[in-house]
Amino acid sequence: MTSIDELFKASGVGSKRKLEPLRDPNEIYKSPRLTSNGKSSRHARVEDEAANDDDVEAGPAPPEDDENGDYGPDLPPDDDEEGRFYGGGITAQENEALDYVDDPDPSEIAAPEKFDSAWLRRTVINFEKRINKNAELRAKFEDEPQKFIASEADLDTDIKALSILSEHPELYPEFAKLGSVASLVGLLAHENTDIAIDAVEIINELTDEDVSANDDQWNALVDALLEADLLGLLVSNFERLDEEQEVDRSGVYYALSVVENLCSGRTTTAEQVAENDKLLKWLLRRIQAKEKTVSQNKQYAAEVLAILVQTSSKNRRKLASLDATDIMLQLVASYRKRDPEKGGEEEEYMENLFEALTCIVDEPEGKTKFVEAEGVELCLIMLKEGKMSKPAALRLLDHTAGGSGQAGTEVCQKIVEAGGLKNIFTLFMKKNNDNQTTEHLIGIFSSMLRLLPADSAERIRTLAKFVEKDYEKTQKLVKLRREYATRLSSVDQAIRAEQSGMSAEEKEEMADEWFSRRLDAGLFCLQTLDVVLAWLVAEDGGARKTIQKLLADRDETLGVIKETIQEQIDGIDVEDADGKDTREMLTTLVEFLQ
C-alpha cells in the first residue's frame, strides 16, 4: 500500500518542512478550530515511517564451497570478473549499446524551456488549479486529512516553482494582470502555516533588491501585492506564528524581509507600510520582547523600524505619535554602562535603535517627545559613563539639538539645565577626538548659539564656556579650523589641476564627485566651525580679538571665515522655510565679519 511519504515523493516535493514524526493522519491534520487551551492546532507535517524490518536472509542456503563443482556455463569473455550478478551479465558489445543509450548525441538533447508569456500562462493556470483543488478537498474532507494531504504537497511544489519568476522580472506586469499575485498573497491565510510560509518566501524572492527589475516592473508587482492586502496578512501571520518553533521563526524572518523590501523600493510604498498601525505596533512590541539573548528576529524588527524612519518624514512623525521615542529610549537605557557583545545580534540591535531614534528626533514632534522622555539626560549620562553607546548618544544629541523652531530651542535649554555644558565641553577639550566626535560636538555648539534666546541665562552660560580660562575653547576652535582648512585646501588644489583643460560639460559631469571629495576632506565640519566662530565674533569683543589674533598668525583675517559662510549662503535652497531662516541667519553673521 502506498505510504503518505511516497505521496510526497511522487509529488516532487524535495524539501518539505518536518517536525516530530506523526503516524496518525488525524494527528498531523492542521485544524482551523481552536483546541481546549485556546490555541490553534497547527503544524501539519508528514514524516517517513521508520522501517522496522530485521535483516533476515531469505531463500535456500548456499552450497558448500567446491572448487571442482559444476555450476553452469563459463562467464562470457570480457564480462565482469565478479560474475553475472555483480557485473550485470552482459557482454562488452551490449555494454557499448547501453552506453550509447545513456549518453545520446548532444544535438538531440531537448532545448531548455523558454520563459515567456505562454509559459507564464500555463504556469498560472496550473497554479490556480492546485489552489482550487486543495481548497475543495479541504472543505469536503475537513476531518480526513489523508484525503487532501497529497493536494497540499502538489500546491507546495507549485508555489516554490514560482521562484523562477525572480529571474524574469519582465513577466511581473503580466503575472499581476493575470490575477495570480492576489492568489499568491491569499495563500498567506492558508490553514496550513507551512503553505503560508512558502508563499511569504516566494514573495520575498520576487521583491528582493537583487532582482533586476526596472521601476515599472517592480511597481506592477508591488501595487498588486498591496492591493491584495499583503500587509494585513503579514500582520496576521506575525500574530499566529510561534517563534518557539524553528519553522515559524523562519516564517517571521521572511515576513520581516518582505517588509524591508517594500520599504527599500520607493518612498510612497514605505509610507503605505507605515500607515498600517497594526504592523507598527507589532514591530514596537517585538523589539521589547524579553529574551535571554537578542534573537535575529528581534534585531530585524529594530532594523525594519530604522529603515521606515530613514525613508520618510511622514513615517518619522507617525512613529513619534506612537510613543516610539519613549519605548526606544527605555531600551537603549540598558547600555548606559553595559556594552553588547561585539559583532553579535545585540550590537546591531542597539545600533538600529539609536539609528531610529536619531531619525525620529529630526522632526519637531520627535524632539518634543525626546525631551518629555528625559532623552537629553540619558544621552548626557552616556557621554560620561558609556563606552560603546557614547558615540551613538553624542550623534543622537546633535540631531536632537539641530534644526530650527521652538522644539529645538527646548532641547538646547534642557542641555544647559541638565548640566550638559560640563559634559560636552570636557569631551571637546580631550585630545585625539576622532572626526565624527568633533563634528557632532561642533554641531551642538552651532545649534545652541543659533537657538538659545538672546540674553537668556542658558545662552550666557554657554558663551561663558568659550570665554573661560583665557578663551581656551575658542583657541581650540581656531586650531581645528586650521587643520580642516589645510586638508580641504589640498583637495581643492587637486581638483583645480583636474579641471584644467576640461570642457564645461566634463566639469558638470564631475561636479558631484568633486563635491563628495570635499565633504570627505571635512568641508561640512569647516563650515560649521566658521559659523560657531562667527557667532563668537558677533557676541563677544574679547572672542573677536582672540580669533583675529590667531588667524593673523597665518596671515589670515576674518575674511576667510566670511568666504566659507558666503559659500554656504550660495548653496542654500530658499524654497523651504528652514532654508530661508538659515540664509537670513548666515547673512546677518557675515555683516559682523567685515
Side-chain angles (χ1 to χ4, degrees):
M1 180 177 178
T2 305
S3 69
I4 295 294
D5 188 64
E6 288 169 342
L7 286 174
F8 270 108
K9 290 178 180 178
S11 69
V13 180
S15 57
K16 182 70 177 175
R17 292 186 182 84
K18 301 180 182 180
L19 291 180
E20 294 298 321
L22 300 172
R23 295 171 182 270
D24 183 358
N26 289 301
E27 293 180 31
I28 66 169
Y29 173 43
K30 184 178 301 180
S31 171
R33 294 190 294 271
L34 296 179
T35 58
S36 58
N37 63 3
K39 295 184 178 179
S40 174
S41 57
R42 306 181 296 102
H43 307 298
R45 306 285 188 272
V46 178
E47 282 291 335
D48 297 342
E49 284 196 19
N52 218 10
D53 297 339
D54 294 325
D55 293 333
V56 178
E57 293 185 1
E64 295 181 5
D65 290 340
D66 186 353
E67 293 182 2
N68 299 320
D70 185 5
Y71 300 111
D74 294 337
L75 290 172
D78 300 325
D79 199 7
D80 191 325
E81 294 179 1
E82 294 181 342
R84 67 178 299 168
F85 290 108
Y86 289 94
I90 58 176
T91 65
Q93 185 177 0
E94 291 168 336
N95 256 325
E96 289 180 11
L98 287 175
D99 287 343
Y100 178 81
V101 172
D102 292 338
D103 189 16
D105 187 344
S107 63
E108 297 178 8
I109 298 176
E113 188 168 11
K114 186 178 180 181
F115 297 101
D116 54 10
S117 295
W119 169 85
L120 180 62
R121 285 192 291 272
R122 291 195 305 271
T123 302
V124 162
I125 290 170
N126 191 53
F127 179 54
E128 298 290 347
K129 285 180 179 178
R130 297 290 194 200
I131 295 174
N132 294 334
K133 181 180 179 181
N134 177 246
E136 289 171 7
L137 291 176
R138 267 189 168 271
K140 188 175 181 180
F141 303 108
E142 183 178 353
D143 297 320
E144 301 176 81
Q146 67 272 21
K147 292 187 177 180
F148 63 71
I149 198 76
S151 72
E152 217 127 287
D154 293 339
L155 177 58
D156 176 89
T157 302
D158 277 21
I159 293 170
K160 291 174 178 174
L162 293 175
S163 67
I164 193 67
L165 276 173
S166 64
E167 299 177 20
H168 302 278
E170 68 276 4
L171 297 175
Y172 281 6
E174 188 168 358
F175 185 54
K177 187 177 180 181
L178 290 170
S180 287
V181 172
S183 299
L184 179 61
V185 173
L187 290 175
L188 270 66
H190 199 281
E191 293 92 335
N192 184 341
T193 53
D194 276 355
I195 295 295
I197 291 170
D198 283 344
V200 171
E201 284 188 56
I202 294 302
I203 293 171
N204 179 45
E205 288 186 33
L206 297 180
T207 56
D208 191 88
E209 63 178 4
D210 291 333
V211 174
S212 57
N214 61 37
D215 288 346
D216 290 340
Q217 294 162 355
W218 197 86
N219 290 342
L221 175 66
V222 171
D223 288 343
L225 289 170
L226 295 175
E227 191 175 329
D229 193 27
L230 172 64
L231 295 175
L233 289 169
L234 284 175
V235 173
S236 297
N237 278 279
F238 282 139
E239 293 174 345
R240 73 166 170 160
L241 295 176
D242 177 11
E243 291 191 60
E244 294 296 320
Q245 306 294 329
E246 183 178 352
V247 175
D248 285 13
R249 191 161 57 246
S250 296
V252 171
Y253 178 87
Y254 289 125
L256 287 168
S257 184
V258 170
V259 177
E260 180 190 3
N261 294 343
L262 295 176
C263 296
S264 303
R266 59 184 181 184
T267 301
T268 53
T269 306
E271 290 178 348
Q272 282 180 270
V273 171
E275 287 172 3
N276 192 306
D277 281 8
K278 288 184 178 180
L279 173 60
L280 296 184
K281 289 176 180 177
W282 183 87
L283 289 169
L284 290 172
R285 288 197 304 272
R286 186 65 187 84
I287 63 174
Q288 297 177 77
K290 301 292 184 184
E291 297 177 347
K292 289 184 178 179
T293 57
V294 174
S295 66
Q296 187 179 39
N297 284 347
K298 184 175 181 178
Q299 184 280 120
Y300 206 172
E303 183 177 344
V304 169
L305 284 169
I307 292 170
L308 276 168
V309 293
Q310 285 172 348
T311 309
S312 159
S313 174
K314 183 179 178 181
N315 289 358
R316 293 191 281 274
R317 293 194 299 271
K318 179 72 173 182
L319 265 296
S321 71
L322 295 175
D323 290 328
T325 309
D326 188 27
I327 291 169
M328 293 179 184
L329 282 171
Q330 291 182 42
L331 294 173
V332 299
S334 62
Y335 302 110
R336 285 175 297 182
K337 297 182 180 180
R338 181 182 71 85
D339 283 348
E341 181 183 349
K342 196 164 183 64
E345 297 286 354
E346 189 173 7
E347 181 183 8
E348 195 169 350
Y349 168 73
M350 182 193 80
E351 290 172 352
N352 283 318
L353 290 175
F354 271 112
E355 182 64 35
L357 279 168
T358 301
C359 292
I360 292 172
V361 298
D362 280 336
E363 303 299 321
E365 297 87 343
K367 297 180 193 296
T368 300
K369 293 284 186 180
F370 187 82
V371 173
E372 291 174 357
E374 300 182 350
V376 171
E377 291 87 340
L378 177 61
C379 286
L380 292 175
I381 291 172
M382 288 180 168
L383 292 184
K384 185 178 180 181
E385 301 176 356
K387 293 180 182 177
M388 198 178 290
S389 62
K390 183 184 290 187
L394 180 61
R395 177 171 177 255
L396 175 57
L397 195 61
D398 180 17
H399 279 256
T400 311
S404 61
Q406 184 59 31
T409 299
E410 290 174 0
V411 173
C412 293
Q413 289 174 326
K414 179 60 72 173
I415 290 174
V416 180
E417 291 171 10
L421 292 178
K422 181 179 179 181
N423 291 16
I424 293 170
F425 280 95
T426 298
L427 182 57
F428 176 66
M429 293 305 293
K430 283 187 175 180
K431 296 180 179 179
N432 302 321
N433 281 332
D434 59 35
N435 291 334
Q436 289 295 320
T437 298
T438 301
E439 180 180 323
H440 293 311
L441 287 169
I442 295 169
I444 293 171
F445 297 157
S446 177
S447 298
M448 295 180 76
L449 290 171
R450 176 180 180 178
L451 298 175
L452 288 173
D455 300 325
S456 65
E458 293 86 1
R459 188 176 191 85
I460 292 170
R461 288 174 61 185
T462 301
L463 288 169
K465 281 291 181 180
F466 290 103
V467 173
E468 67 180 14
K469 297 182 180 179
D470 197 24
Y471 294 95
E472 65 172 1
K473 280 86 173 177
T474 303
Q475 291 180 44
K476 181 162 185 180
L477 287 173
V478 177
K479 180 182 177 183
L480 284 171
R481 190 200 183 280
R482 288 174 182 169
E483 294 174 3
Y484 281 100
T486 301
R487 202 182 309 168
L488 185 62
S489 176
S490 175
V491 172
D492 285 342
Q493 187 175 352
I495 291 173
R496 283 193 294 273
E498 293 175 22
Q499 288 176 334
S500 61
M502 276 190 173
S503 65
E505 188 176 317
E506 289 173 329
K507 289 178 181 179
E508 187 176 348
E509 289 178 0
M510 290 293 294
D512 288 342
E513 183 183 330
W514 286 332
F515 182 66
S516 177
R517 282 161 59 182
R518 297 187 77 214
L519 285 175
D520 290 342
L523 173 63
F524 177 75
C525 206
L526 177 63
Q527 291 176 339
T528 310
L529 271 166
D530 281 348
V531 170
V532 172
L533 290 170
W535 273 113
L536 295 177
V537 167
E539 293 273 354
D540 185 83
R544 181 186 180 97
K545 291 179 181 178
T546 300
I547 294 168
Q548 286 178 315
K549 180 181 177 182
L550 292 170
L551 288 174
D553 290 344
R554 298 183 65 179
D555 297 325
E556 294 175 333
T557 65
L558 294 176
V560 293
I561 298 176
K562 178 183 176 181
E563 184 181 333
T564 305
I565 294 178
Q566 188 61 53
E567 184 182 358
Q568 293 181 63
I569 293 172
D570 295 340
I572 291 175
D573 179 11
V574 294
E575 293 298 321
D576 67 270
D578 190 44
K580 189 175 181 180
D581 289 344
T582 301
R583 184 184 179 92
E584 290 177 1
M585 182 266 292
L586 293 177
T587 301
T588 303
L589 287 178
V590 166
E591 295 175 4
F592 288 94
L593 298 172
Q594 303 298 339

